[in-house]
Amino acid sequence: MLFKTDLLIPFDTPLSDPETTSVKLCQGTITHSFIQFPPGCGGLVWVQVWLNGYQLIPWERGEWLRGDDHIIEDHSYYPVDEEPRLLTIRGYSEGSEYPHTVQVGVEISAQAALSFLPPPETLLRELGLM
């Protein structure tokens, strides 16, 4: 299932007060995520993506991604199994003269979540039922 949202970042939004938006996700595993920076950002628009209180993108804590007319993708697996299952996007644009809209999306697979479980016979053996 694909979840995506737009984050409108007003011109000259400071790092000290970033613009934010959130999307409620279903349970499963994030298998693909992307941030699409539109043309014209000129490297002045910075974005982070968080899941519940954990920074997913960029991968270095406290860092931000920026871009101009390109898409940044990630194919890492992130379980989405704890409430509130909120994807939060934060963005700022100090020094910009125009507002910019960045699109962020994630694909969630229920099957990918199951692939992390051991095979059924292993579970039964560990439980002493086999």
Side-chain angles (χ1 to χ4, degrees), residues 1-50:
M1 182 174 290
L2 176 64
F3 293 84
K4 60 182 179 176
T5 189
D6 292 337
L7 175 64
L8 173 62
I9 305 168
F11 72 93
D12 207 25
T13 301
L15 169 61
S16 61
D17 189 22
E19 193 68 26
T20 65
T21 190
S22 294
V23 177
K24 179 77 171 166
L25 302 176
C26 67
Q27 187 166 349
T29 301
I30 295 173
T31 57
H32 175 244
S33 54
F34 69 87
I35 301 171
Q36 182 175 10
F37 290 92
C41 287
L44 296 175
V45 175
W46 301 79
V47 174
Q48 290 179 333
V49 180
W50 293 70

Side-chain angles (χ1 to χ4, degrees), residues 1-127:
M1 182 174 290
L2 176 64
F3 293 84
K4 60 182 179 176
T5 189
D6 292 337
L7 175 64
L8 173 62
I9 305 168
F11 72 93
D12 207 25
T13 301
L15 169 61
S16 61
D17 189 22
E19 193 68 26
T20 65
T21 190
S22 294
V23 177
K24 179 77 171 166
L25 302 176
C26 67
Q27 187 166 349
T29 301
I30 295 173
T31 57
H32 175 244
S33 54
F34 69 87
I35 301 171
Q36 182 175 10
F37 290 92
C41 287
L44 296 175
V45 175
W46 301 79
V47 174
Q48 290 179 333
V49 180
W50 293 70
L51 177 61
N52 291 338
Y54 177 78
Q55 184 178 332
L56 293 182
I57 303 170
W59 311 270
E60 284 291 321
R61 304 299 163 249
E63 295 295 316
W64 296 76
L65 290 180
R66 65 180 172 160
D68 182 43
D69 193 21
H70 69 279
I71 298 172
I72 297 173
E73 297 183 87
D74 180 28
H75 292 280
S76 299
Y77 285 60
Y78 302 104
V80 181
D81 51 6
E82 294 180 16
E83 288 290 342
R85 297 195 305 254
L86 280 182
L87 189 73
T88 302
I89 297 89
R90 299 176 182 169
Y92 75 95
S93 62
E94 291 178 333
S96 67
E97 296 180 11
Y98 304 99
H100 296 282
T101 300
V102 175
Q103 187 175 78
V104 175
V106 297
E107 291 182 47
I108 295 184
S109 169
Q111 289 180 327
L114 297 176
S115 69
F116 289 110
L117 295 175
E121 50 280 350
T122 302
L123 285 174
L124 292 172
R125 202 172 302 114
E126 288 178 7
L127 293 171

